[in-house]
Amino acid sequence: YTEYFPSSVAVTSIIRTSDMVGAITSTDDELYVVCDDSGQVDVYDIKTFKQKHSITVPRLGSRVYCGLAVCNVYKCLYISDFENGLIHRIELTGKKNVTCWSVSKMSQGLSVNNKHNVLLAVTDEHQIIEYTTDGRVVRQINLQPNIERPHHVVELSTGHMAVTHWE
């Protein structure tokens, strides 16, 4: 692959973790990191890169080949749990309540679209599923036959979707 970086980009901090990082995402002031075998989301300050706290995620699989996305409108974090076939929803305010809903065990990348819904790439069902913030299915999009094993999806500002997939 090719990396495209402006010439002024430099590594400013390194966060050491105890295991492989499965996914990261951020808000305006926090960085969220999920590692394999941790059962939690580690939360860092984006200016100092110091760990602020961790959020325990009950039932989070030990192998986190997952997607991680944040919604600034509903103030929540979503984790796709490949191992257990779940999407975990973590409230980022108050008590940090964690809820989840069942999805295909072959679900991977997820994102939040411009309607503040969750888009999920479902590898084994060859589709994209859109969910509301509380896990109700909005729509299921069957993909073209030449898009094999979808891995991640994002909705572009044009309303089109960009899908990564494996052949």
Side-chain angles (χ1 to χ4, degrees):
Y1 66 92
T2 304
E3 296 179 4
Y4 296 96
F5 294 107
S7 59
S8 62
V9 172
V11 174
T12 59
S13 296
I14 296 174
I15 297 173
R16 303 265 181 228
T17 61
S18 60
D19 213 328
M20 184 176 81
V21 172
I24 62 172
T25 193
S26 67
T27 58
D28 291 336
D29 57 354
E30 293 181 320
L31 174 68
Y32 302 91
V33 179
V34 178
C35 293
D36 280 359
D37 297 320
S38 70
Q40 65 187 26
V41 177
D42 296 323
V43 183
Y44 296 85
D45 181 280
I46 64 163
K47 292 182 180 135
T48 65
F49 294 100
K50 301 287 184 205
Q51 186 172 352
K52 295 169 69 172
H53 61 277
S54 295
I55 304 168
T56 300
V57 183
R59 299 176 58 196
L60 182 62
S62 61
R63 292 287 172 226
V64 188
Y65 305 112
C66 69
L68 189 63
V70 68
C71 178
N72 289 317
V73 170
Y74 291 117
K75 305 291 185 211
C76 61
L77 182 70
Y78 302 98
I79 305 172
S80 65
D81 185 341
F82 180 86
E83 186 173 296
N84 293 315
L86 298 170
I87 291 181
H88 303 270
R89 181 187 186 275
I90 304 163
E91 293 178 6
L92 297 176
T93 58
K95 295 182 180 180
K96 309 277 191 275
N97 290 331
V98 179
T99 56
C100 62
W101 66 85
S102 294
V103 296
S104 168
K105 279 203 173 200
M106 293 295 287
S107 298
Q108 297 201 351
L110 56 75
S111 63
V112 175
N113 68 8
N114 60 9
K115 294 178 183 170
H116 317 294
N117 289 331
V118 177
L119 295 175
L120 179 69
V122 185
T123 302
D124 61 338
E125 295 177 19
H126 198 69
Q127 61 185 199
I128 303 302
I129 302 177
E130 181 176 352
Y131 295 94
T132 62
T133 189
D134 57 356
R136 288 176 289 146
V137 174
V138 174
R139 62 183 170 155
Q140 296 177 311
I141 302 165
N142 293 314
L143 299 172
Q144 300 163 213
N146 64 330
I147 300 177
E148 299 176 18
R149 300 183 338 202
H151 182 261
H152 196 72
V153 58
V154 295
E155 184 175 7
L156 307 175
S157 61
T158 61
H160 292 100
M161 292 187 190
V163 178
T164 63
H165 65 103
W166 298 320
E167 293 184 351

